Amino acid sequence: MIVSISLKGIDTAITNLNYRNIKSPKYKLLYALRQLYNSEKDLDRIHYINPDILIKEIWETGDDLSLIKSKYKNFNSIKSSVNADLADIYNQKKNPEGIIIGEANIFEMSDKAKEEMFSSFTHTLKTEKNVSLNNIVEALNVVYEFLSNYEKSKDFSLEIGKLKNILKNFFEKAGEVEIEEISEAGTIE
């Protein structure tokens, strides 16, 4: 995970969803997922959670593979519904980190929250004099995360080329690293 979220942010979002029926699939999904995170380190360590694990917890299927597979559509529907609820409470300022359940079935920051965070940072860069290098690194991580999940198109390739040039100029200006070329994959060589 590149964009910072915290266990406190996750717990705040879960609490503010106010799901009370402990037998509902939404409740079971959130709590099955949450129990897999034991420390802040897990936020960086866990990159994917097999939906079978969560389906077993939600519907108590045991190891019956045919029963598990029959619940995939239901699982995706429940996950979408929870994410819609998380988006609603984000808009109400009750999910301050913009927590959602991502494609990899892990807690992560929503694209909307990333965009707003980056927009806020961009505004700060334009108006404030005292911006730390750490703030810049965090903003670049948001850009990286966003681009990692961005649907590629013709415009994408053109914009990536512009971004490569900006980064090349940035590093050359910083004087810390001499850059000969930025590869097609976007890595600095």
Side-chain angles (χ1 to χ4, degrees):
M1 179 193 68
I2 292 173
V3 176
S4 289
I5 60 171
S6 66
L7 291 179
K8 182 180 178 186
I10 292 168
D11 291 339
T12 298
I14 290 172
T15 299
N16 288 332
L17 282 173
N18 208 19
Y19 293 160
R20 294 185 183 184
N21 181 356
I22 62 173
K23 294 183 180 189
S24 77
K26 287 181 176 184
Y27 182 97
K28 287 182 173 185
L29 170 59
L30 276 173
Y31 286 92
L33 186 55
R34 176 59 181 92
Q35 74 183 13
L36 297 172
Y37 292 85
N38 297 310
S39 72
E40 295 288 331
K41 290 179 184 177
D42 289 337
L43 294 168
D44 292 323
R45 186 183 61 77
I46 299 172
H47 301 287
Y48 173 78
I49 297 172
N50 188 326
D52 294 3
I53 294 169
L54 299 170
I55 289 169
K56 285 180 189 182
E57 289 291 318
I58 297 167
W59 288 285
E60 300 172 11
T61 62
D63 292 328
D64 184 339
L65 290 177
S66 63
L67 188 53
I68 292 169
K69 288 184 187 217
S70 73
K71 295 293 184 183
Y72 281 175
K73 193 181 265 188
N74 298 56
F75 173 76
N76 288 324
S77 177
I78 298 297
K79 186 168 95 171
S80 292
S81 181
V82 168
N83 280 337
D85 294 343
L86 287 165
D88 285 345
I89 65 169
Y90 175 73
N91 292 333
Q92 298 168 25
K93 309 285 189 236
K94 294 180 180 179
N95 178 4
E97 294 181 8
I99 303 294
I100 60 163
I101 302 170
E103 290 289 318
N105 304 311
I106 60 172
F107 288 119
E108 61 185 43
M109 186 181 285
S110 70
D111 286 342
K112 182 176 181 180
K114 289 178 205 173
E115 288 171 18
E116 288 180 3
M117 185 171 102
F118 189 67
S119 176
S120 172
F121 176 75
T122 302
H123 176 73
T124 301
L125 272 180
K126 290 178 180 178
T127 59
E128 299 289 327
K129 300 280 186 214
N130 299 324
V131 177
S132 73
L133 189 54
N134 191 40
N135 293 132
I136 294 170
V137 169
E138 189 173 322
L140 289 174
N141 280 334
V142 171
V143 171
Y144 173 79
E145 179 86 7
F146 178 78
L147 292 176
S148 295
N149 297 317
Y150 192 79
E151 198 169 308
K152 296 179 178 35
S153 65
K154 287 181 185 177
D155 292 338
F156 181 79
S157 296
L158 182 63
E159 295 302 315
I160 287 295
K162 290 177 186 177
L163 181 60
K164 287 178 186 178
N165 286 329
I166 290 169
L167 290 174
K168 180 179 178 187
N169 291 334
F170 169 78
F171 284 113
E172 287 175 350
K173 204 170 226 181
E176 295 291 324
V177 179
E178 287 187 30
I179 298 175
E180 294 297 318
E181 183 178 317
I182 297 178
S183 76
E184 287 301 311
T187 57
I188 300 170
E189 298 178 315

